[in-house]
Amino acid sequence: MPSKRLCKIFDISIVKSYLYMFTTVGIVILITSCASFEHLTMITEDTFPQAIECGKCHVEIYKEWLQSDHAIAYKNPHFREATDDYSFEECLSCHAPLPTVSNTAPVTRSVNRDEGVTCVSCHLKEGKLSGPIEPRGSVSPHPVDVNPDFYRDSDICGRCHKREFNEWKSVNTVDKKTCQQCHMPSVTRKVTQSTGGISEFIVALEHEVQQKRHSFPTVPSQLDGDIISIDAINNGSSVTLTIRNNLLHSLPTGDFGFRFVVMEVDSLDSKGNTRVLAKKELVKELKTAIAPMAATEWQLSVPLDTIEIRFKLRRFGPEQDDIVNLVDIEVPLQ
Amino acid sequence: MKDEKILRFSAGEIVLHWANAILYLTLACTGTLILLLKIFEIEIVSYDVLSLIHRFSGISLIITLILTFILSIFVKSFRRLWNSLVQCLTWKISDIVWLIKVPLTMVCRQVIVPPAERFNAGQKLHLLVVFTILIGFSISGLGIMLLPGALAAWMIHLACFIPAAGFLLLHMFLSMVNPSTRKSLPAIFTGYVSAEYARLHHPLWIKSDEIKPHGSYVSWPALALTTAVASVLLASTLYYYGPQRARQKIQKLISQRGTTAILPGPLVASHANDPQIRHCTACHNYFSSPACETCLSCHKIIEQRMEDRSGFHGKLPGQCRSCHQDHTGTDGDIRNFDTSKFDHNLANYKLQGRHIGLSCQECHLVKVDENIKTQTKYIGLNFEKCTDCHYDPHDGQFKKSCDKCHNEHGWKNQPPSEYHAMDSSYPLLGQHAKVKCEQCHRIPANKTKLAEANFVSLQKNCKQCHKDPHDGQVSTECQKCHTEEGWKGKALLFSHDKHSEFALDNIHAKSECSHCHQIGSKTVYRPLPKTCEGCHKHIEELILGNAGYVTAKPDPHSGRVSCVQCHPTDKQKQKPSEYADKCKSCHNDDYERLYQNWTKAFDLRKSQADELLSKLRKTDPVKADQMAELITQAEHAEFHNIQLTRQLWHNILSQER
């Protein structure tokens, strides 16, 4: 049974299968004889699988995660302050959760909280490390569970990002993208990377596969379409801009912390002078955020000798330098 | 023959002579003394005594004469008088000749006078003159007494005096001094004269035939001696009196045409100085007493009163002179006014109340001129206005009559508030009724009495008396907010919503006024900001992250959320749950819990800080005060800038560790 199953998973010839099987079994026996991988899946009162352990093999993913907001979900100073030095327990369940793959609501873990939303928060399930793709390597040092539907669904994100998830859910559209489709850019690579030694050998045996990056960018650098689409109707002295939010969540979105988006319109006159015509903040709490797939109108007066206007959209975070330019486009004046 | 006596006078004649003579001499003496008194101002006996004696004697003389003549009708022995009188009054040509020749006998011995009867012409003339003078004296004397002030009586009386005195002197000289005639003197004591005397002087009476011429009737030596004695007496008297003075008196007598002799006394000053009164007849008549008309021709006021029967004089009967007599001297008072017996109610001004007890002088002593000369004035004294007598302490402020407020029963009869109601267009209401008069009617610095204070020109606006505690910051129309009932409490009409530009919402409604209006030591009403941050500047600062010694980032709400979004103006004190709802309404349901968490967190810090503070109070009160301030600041900061608040509490709690 196991061999039959393995054949099915790897989809290679029986001969090759047997070769790999023996090799792998040999290596596993070799490795397991030297080290235990129990710590990757074991959670007790004071032990918790650390990301760095995962990163020993899943090097790229670990690196991505390390740069992501998930890694600092707990230890970033804004969260520490916002929870009065982690004293508000109910906040911690999403910022330092136990594995959330069960159907129950996220629960705060007792140790290793600094890692925030760490690997096992999403990937440890009933003693197995779960994921959307079949293992491509010859060996797995830890039990593996494959559940692509679960991991490709927005629901997994929505366990913590509840309200963003609800916004997304409320949108009715064809070919609706999931959270992961935008915030986990695709990449084709091996799931593990070598770190020298025996890992070179093991990784060499692995096949590349299309997978998702774990950088979780707030503002994805590559999107299939524009964040917004903009129409300008020139009424002579004034221009009515219709700004349409193409996202499947409101612009901006988010329920905690500090973030907002500023729209800015600059004008360029015939003499080549640029000046800011107007600025407008979009804040979700102030109900100025643009709902998903909805549009907002903005009427501005434009000087007569304006030959061109530019529309800019910037995102601001809690820090002074936390600015991301989202949009900077020329709006044709009709 | 030599010692033969002849009866010359009967007893009746002797009695008549002496009765007449004694009184006549008395009258002559007193009359002379009165004249001396009048003319030379020699007062040996007082005028009143002289006058009394003179008048008594005069009346006695008249009665004596009348009685004598009545007796002579009924008593036999007196009837001889009529014979003698007839003999005396029977004049013959020889009597005239006798009178002419007698003086000549003094110079020429050859002159022979016609023989005389029982009475010679001289004696006849003497009797006639005396008789005439007596009648003159009697009638004029009675006139003086019965018709006071009739000039003719005085003039006749005085005119009679001159012949009377002359004849008296002559009579006494001849009967007592002159040698040839004094031999008849015993006749007037005993009734008898010597026959020789009778033969010589009255040959026809005793029917003697041997009419022989006798020498001079008047002896020169006797006359010279008498004249000498009189001259010496006169000269020595004159010397004693002072010739210069005498001359002045005589000149005065002459210049005033002898009136000083009968003048009872100098006129009172007012009459004396009246140019219209130059002569006695200005007031006096010759044959009657001075008439009222004469007085009233000048004293028009009295005339009017008497015509109108008004005032004191209008109610009096009788003549002016029955009360008023002049000639009482320059300083005399013609008014002859006994104030103690005067019934003032007869006058036009009835005395009532306090006026009754006053002494006359308090009203009737008036200033005559600037030289502070005062004198009493009774008639024509103005009394229509109180100020005619009373000094007006109000300095003419009140144009209306005084009796609105004052009456005769005293100045201060009513409580001041009633005065105010009586004569003021400013009724005293509310608290004003309790205020002392001088609080509004300020007594000027140089004055002492309330009455002298300013009353009429006092403005009726509040600021006339009240200082504007608002320092001109609010409306000048005080009555919009204040009434007379008081400044505070129910009396204050002030409504912040109505009268100010800042309607008090529920948040501010229960605030102490001073919270907004006390800025340092100053009370400020205008201009005050109307925005939240205008007053709650410190909160704005905290929101912006500025707590003085600690700074933080501006709260994210800053510039995005207005104050009233969390502090609705219709809620006076929001419950924590309501604040939580506010959080929820913008953020999401989780923020309710977040709000509670923060509240709990801050409350814990607060209780810790309070514990520290109470410890510190015992050890270092100054530092404790500073800490208390910091605690207050942290409490204010709270949700306005959570991160700043965290820091503030941290600083407070770490301070004492």
Side-chain angles (χ1 to χ4, degrees), chain A residues 236-288:
Chain A
S237 62
S238 71
V239 170
T240 307
L241 296 178
T242 306
I243 303 130
R244 189 181 160 79
N245 174 16
N246 294 332
L247 305 175
L248 297 173
H249 56 74
S250 67
L251 175 70
T253 187
D255 293 305
F256 300 98
F258 179 83
R259 66 277 164 291
F260 59 88
V261 161
V262 174
M263 304 192 295
E264 183 184 310
V265 174
D266 294 355
S267 72
L268 182 72
D269 62 17
S270 50
K271 289 169 191 162
N273 296 325
T274 306
R275 65 179 175 128
V276 177
L277 278 185
K279 272 187 176 182
K280 202 171 178 182
E281 251 184 31
L282 300 179
V283 183
K284 193 182 175 192
E285 287 81 357
L286 299 179
K287 319 293 184 224
T288 51

Side-chain angles (χ1 to χ4, degrees), chain B residues 542 545-552 633 643-648 651:
Chain B
L542 293 167
N546 183 13
Y549 71 111
V550 175
T551 52
Q633 191 188 35
Q643 295 314 324
L644 179 68
T645 310
R646 266 167 51 83
Q647 287 187 50
L648 291 173
N651 276 17

Side-chain angles (χ1 to χ4, degrees), chain B residues 357-653:
Chain B
L358 296 178
S359 80
C360 308
Q361 301 228 323
E362 290 197 51
C363 298
H364 292 289
L365 202 63
V366 294
K367 237 183 203 180
V368 176
D369 55 28
E370 289 305 308
N371 300 332
I372 323 169
K373 256 189 168 177
T374 50
Q375 75 172 40
T376 49
K377 179 177 180 178
Y378 297 99
I379 295 156
L381 202 64
N382 289 330
F383 59 82
E384 279 76 18
K385 291 184 288 176
C386 301
T387 49
D388 290 335
C389 284
H390 294 281
Y391 143 76
D392 176 11
H394 308 310
D395 202 19
Q397 290 185 75
F398 297 110
K399 298 277 185 288
K400 295 172 197 163
S401 65
C402 310
D403 52 17
K404 264 197 158 185
C405 299
H406 304 292
N407 60 29
E408 290 96 337
H409 299 287
W411 296 115
K412 301 168 184 174
N413 298 318
Q414 287 94 1
S417 58
E418 283 178 37
Y419 279 126
H420 222 283
M422 279 191 282
D423 190 22
S424 163
S425 53
Y426 190 79
L428 288 185
L429 305 172
Q431 297 291 323
H432 280 158
K434 298 175 192 167
V435 167
K436 281 185 180 171
C437 308
E438 53 268 35
Q439 281 187 259
C440 296
H441 301 289
R442 298 265 166 80
I443 302 168
N446 54 344
K447 305 279 174 63
T448 52
K449 287 186 200 158
L450 173 65
E452 294 169 314
N454 185 6
F455 290 95
V456 169
S457 65
L458 218 57
Q459 305 261 315
K460 282 166 204 153
N461 57 26
C462 307
K463 76 178 173 188
Q464 173 75 43
C465 296
H466 296 284
K467 194 171 164 263
D468 178 11
H470 313 312
D471 212 12
Q473 296 178 67
V474 295
S475 169
T476 50
E477 293 166 86
C478 312
Q479 65 276 11
K480 273 189 173 176
C481 303
H482 301 291
T483 67
E484 291 92 340
E485 296 304 324
W487 297 114
K488 295 175 184 172
K490 284 178 187 167
L492 185 66
L493 302 179
F494 173 72
S495 153
H496 212 286
D497 296 357
K498 216 166 97 186
H499 296 115
S500 85
E501 291 161 27
F502 184 80
L504 282 188
D505 46 49
N506 282 344
I507 293 179
H508 295 96
K510 298 264 172 78
S511 290
E512 289 289 321
C513 305
S514 60
H515 280 185
C516 298
H517 295 291
Q518 192 76 42
I519 297 176
S521 60
K522 275 184 82 181
T523 309
V524 179
Y525 296 95
R526 269 183 193 164
L528 276 184
K530 288 162 215 152
T531 58
C532 305
E533 48 291 354
C535 288
H536 303 283
K537 187 91 191 147
H538 62 298
I539 301 290
E540 193 195 24
E541 287 292 317
L542 293 167
I543 290 170
L544 290 171
N546 183 13
Y549 71 111
V550 175
T551 52
K553 274 193 273 184
D555 189 81
H557 296 92
S558 160
R560 297 189 175 88
V561 178
S562 66
C563 306
V564 292
Q565 279 181 268
C566 298
H567 304 284
T569 53
D570 58 340
K571 282 270 165 75
Q572 199 227 327
K573 267 206 166 167
Q574 276 202 120
K575 290 178 203 147
S577 67
E578 285 172 309
Y579 278 115
D581 287 344
K582 296 285 176 314
C583 300
K584 264 166 70 176
S585 71
C586 286
H587 294 272
N588 54 60
D589 294 351
D590 293 331
Y591 274 74
E592 183 177 5
R593 186 92 181 108
L594 212 47
Y595 173 81
Q596 288 162 359
N597 286 336
W598 278 115
T599 309
K600 219 185 283 173
F602 290 146
D603 286 351
L604 180 69
R605 286 167 170 84
K606 166 88 166 81
S607 62
Q608 287 169 346
D610 283 345
E611 214 172 290
L612 281 176
L613 181 65
S614 62
K615 277 181 199 165
L616 199 59
R617 284 232 181 273
K618 290 168 196 160
T619 56
D620 191 346
V622 179
K623 223 170 174 189
D625 285 343
Q626 291 172 355
M627 190 174 183
E629 248 172 65
L630 294 177
I631 289 172
T632 310
Q633 191 188 35
E635 282 182 293
H636 283 157
E638 230 172 48
F639 285 93
H640 293 118
N641 189 333
I642 286 176
Q643 295 314 324
L644 179 68
T645 310
R646 266 167 51 83
Q647 287 187 50
L648 291 173
W649 283 124
H650 176 77
N651 276 17
I652 292 164
L653 295 172

